[in-house]
Amino acid sequence: MELKRVVVTGLGALTPVGNTVPEFWNNLLNGVSGAGPITHFDASKFKTQFACEVKNFNAADHIDRKEARKMDLYTQYAVVAAKEAVTDAGIDVEKEDLNKVGVILGVGIGGIHTFEEEVAGYEKTKDDLGPKFNPFFIPKMIADIASGQISIMYGFHGPNFTTTSACASSSNAIADAFNYIRLGKANIIVTGGAEAAIFPAGVGGFNAMHALSTRNDDPAHASRPFSASRDGFVMGEGAGCLILEELEHAKARGAKIYAELAGTGASGDAYHLTASHPEGLGAKLVMQSALEDAGMKPEDIDYINVHGTSTPVGDVSEVKAIKDLFGEHAYKLNISSTKSMTGHLLGATGGVEAIACVLSVKNDIVPPTINHEEGDNDENIDYNLNFTFNKAQQRTVRAALSNTFGFGGHNACVIIKKYTE
């Protein structure tokens, strides 16, 4: 069976550095940090009091008020990003076979804010006449509901589900969407991911693990991947959605084509609940798997958007994996961590960073890794590699690889390349 080619025809983003794709991309290229004091709740007693929040967001500007009340914040983010992507792709629901249009999203945690609110409400009422729960508690909270809401909104009857693999969730969703299309099971799929966990349980839970930066006096410079002074990741939130489409279908309807999705990979560290393998074995395997899937060689890649969360162990192991797999070509790559600007969007990471890769390939420019200071070098990291520190770099980007790794040892990778006939 000949596999079909899959292209990207639409993008939608709602992020800590921009509420639309153009705003997101412009701020990435200009090295803008999305970090600041937490506003979603009073974090004054928490070890970490800052995060990368979505700013100036009002669901009522995008979603009917009655419907928005039925959605957790993460679902609202997903719906808004999906709407931008569908509009960008020029999808006409009146002309499409909606049985062949699907929604596959990635979510790491889901409706944690709704869960917190409902449990707190229960604690206040349980001694009265009985527990009082909102009838929308479960539909708002569950991790699959964002993809369900998007399919209902547009009447998309194709494949519809959610993948959950911690911080690799969105990339796994993109891989699933890719495979459904290239196997001929769908023409178009809305994919990517969403997350909104900057609430007491999310911040408190990660603080208890000592996973978050505590640089409360300087949030904008807290996410500093590959620097010796890094002290943990910065939580982010938002959504990133891509429209994947079968090539001939896209050409037939005259769609604009951003880039081609060339291949994907998945692997497991089989090592530790939260730490990556210190030698980067799973990271190397997942990149190798994606290259094989794409029929590409290491030297075909020009840019790697790394997982690069700004944690002491994770950054080192990923660099080891890159050097081990790419050999001498590693020194010809541009490497950057856009998490230095957006923070770590958990389950939404893969969607947002895939968009960055698509735009890098399309525009031949690599966004930077910000916040690295001269001399702040880790003896375990090879600075002869080009980490694209502090300033975007113009170069030909034939293909870009996006890494995402999650708790539990989940690794996922996608490769985006220039579209050619």
Side-chain angles (χ1 to χ4, degrees):
M1 176 182 177
E2 184 177 351
L3 297 176
K4 298 178 182 297
R5 293 173 66 184
V6 181
V7 293
V8 180
T9 58
L11 303 172
L14 181 62
T15 78
V17 296
N19 292 10
T20 64
V21 169
E23 186 180 5
F24 161 71
W25 183 236
N26 181 66
N27 284 332
L28 281 191
L29 295 183
N30 285 287
V32 175
S33 171
I38 290 172
T39 64
H40 288 334
F41 69 96
D42 180 3
S44 59
K45 294 183 179 180
F46 285 69
K47 293 178 185 177
T48 297
Q49 299 164 13
F50 64 94
C52 288
E53 296 179 335
V54 171
K55 299 159 187 68
N56 304 314
F57 175 74
N58 181 3
D61 293 338
H62 310 275
I63 309 167
D64 176 79
R65 288 179 183 272
K66 184 177 178 181
E67 294 303 313
R69 286 197 297 269
K70 302 174 185 176
M71 301 178 188
D72 184 88
L73 185 60
Y74 96 89
T75 300
Q76 294 175 359
Y77 287 167
V79 166
V80 171
K83 288 177 71 173
E84 183 185 11
V86 169
T87 300
D88 184 42
I91 296 171
D92 186 342
V93 295
E94 299 296 326
K95 296 181 180 179
E96 289 296 330
D97 177 359
L98 300 185
N99 294 332
K100 301 280 280 186
V101 183
V103 186
I104 302 175
L105 296 184
V107 180
I109 294 177
I112 194 169
H113 181 43
T114 294
F115 185 81
E116 281 187 346
E117 286 188 320
E118 291 297 322
V119 171
Y122 167 70
E123 287 297 318
K124 291 178 181 178
T125 63
K126 66 180 181 180
D127 293 330
D128 297 327
L129 298 177
K132 296 178 181 177
F133 286 99
N134 187 314
F136 290 104
F137 170 30
I138 299 301
K140 285 176 69 175
M141 179 195 72
I142 53 180
D144 72 299
I145 209 68
S147 60
Q149 288 278 16
I150 294 164
S151 71
I152 292 167
M153 182 169 62
Y154 288 104
F156 295 157
H157 292 288
N160 183 270
F161 59 90
T162 295
T163 64
T164 299
S165 50
C167 304
S169 297
S170 290
S171 294
N172 280 135
I174 293 169
D176 283 344
F178 175 58
N179 285 322
Y180 269 93
I181 294 172
R182 67 176 176 172
L183 290 172
K185 296 179 181 297
N187 293 329
I188 298 172
I189 294 184
V190 182
T191 190
E195 200 80 270
I198 305 174
F199 293 101
V203 176
F206 282 116
N207 266 160
M209 298 168 55
H210 306 288
L212 298 181
S213 171
T214 57
R215 197 183 288 259
N216 294 312
D217 59 337
D218 189 15
H221 297 93
S223 184
R224 43 182 55 217
F226 310 112
S227 295
S229 60
R230 65 193 185 279
D231 68 329
F233 74 83
V234 178
M235 281 188 72
E237 63 173 2
C241 286
L242 302 88
I243 305 299
L244 298 188
E245 188 165 352
E246 193 273 321
L247 173 60
E248 295 306 320
H249 183 275
K251 289 166 64 176
R253 70 180 187 88
K256 70 174 178 294
I257 296 173
Y258 283 98
E260 183 170 359
L261 181 51
T264 66
S267 75
D269 275 3
Y271 172 72
H272 190 273
L273 281 178
T274 59
S276 57
H277 192 286
E279 298 302 316
L281 297 185
K284 176 185 176 183
L285 179 60
V286 76
M287 291 187 286
Q288 190 171 39
S289 174
L291 286 168
E292 290 172 357
D293 188 45
M296 299 171 73
K297 300 175 182 178
E299 52 267 30
D300 294 326
I301 302 297
D302 292 316
Y303 168 46
I304 301 178
N305 187 299
V306 290
H307 190 58
T309 58
S310 190
T311 58
V313 175
D315 289 5
V316 172
S317 64
E318 189 170 10
V319 170
K320 287 181 178 178
I322 290 169
K323 290 182 65 177
D324 193 18
L325 177 62
F326 286 87
E328 286 302 311
H329 184 66
Y331 299 95
K332 299 177 183 179
L333 295 166
N334 272 78
I335 296 166
S336 76
S337 172
T338 48
K339 290 183 182 71
S340 59
M341 296 170 277
T342 65
H344 188 2
L345 277 69
L346 308 178
T349 289
V352 169
E353 292 173 2
I355 291 171
C357 286
V358 167
L359 294 174
S360 183
V361 166
K362 178 175 174 56
N363 297 296
D364 287 322
I365 189 167
V366 175
T369 304
I370 67 167
N371 294 331
H372 183 72
E373 299 168 1
E374 188 174 352
D376 188 13
N377 291 349
D378 183 335
E379 62 181 10
N380 297 303
I381 291 177
D382 183 352
Y383 292 96
N384 291 312
L385 297 171
N386 184 358
F387 291 102
T388 323
F389 282 136
N390 300 319
K391 186 177 180 180
Q393 293 182 13
Q394 202 85 41
R395 67 163 292 170
T396 299
V397 184
R398 298 165 300 162
L401 182 153
S402 175
N403 281 335
T404 51
F405 312 142
F407 285 174
H410 310 298
N411 306 307
C413 177
V414 302
I415 296 176
I416 306 290
K417 70 178 183 180
K418 284 192 186 297
Y419 165 69
T420 60
E421 287 288 340

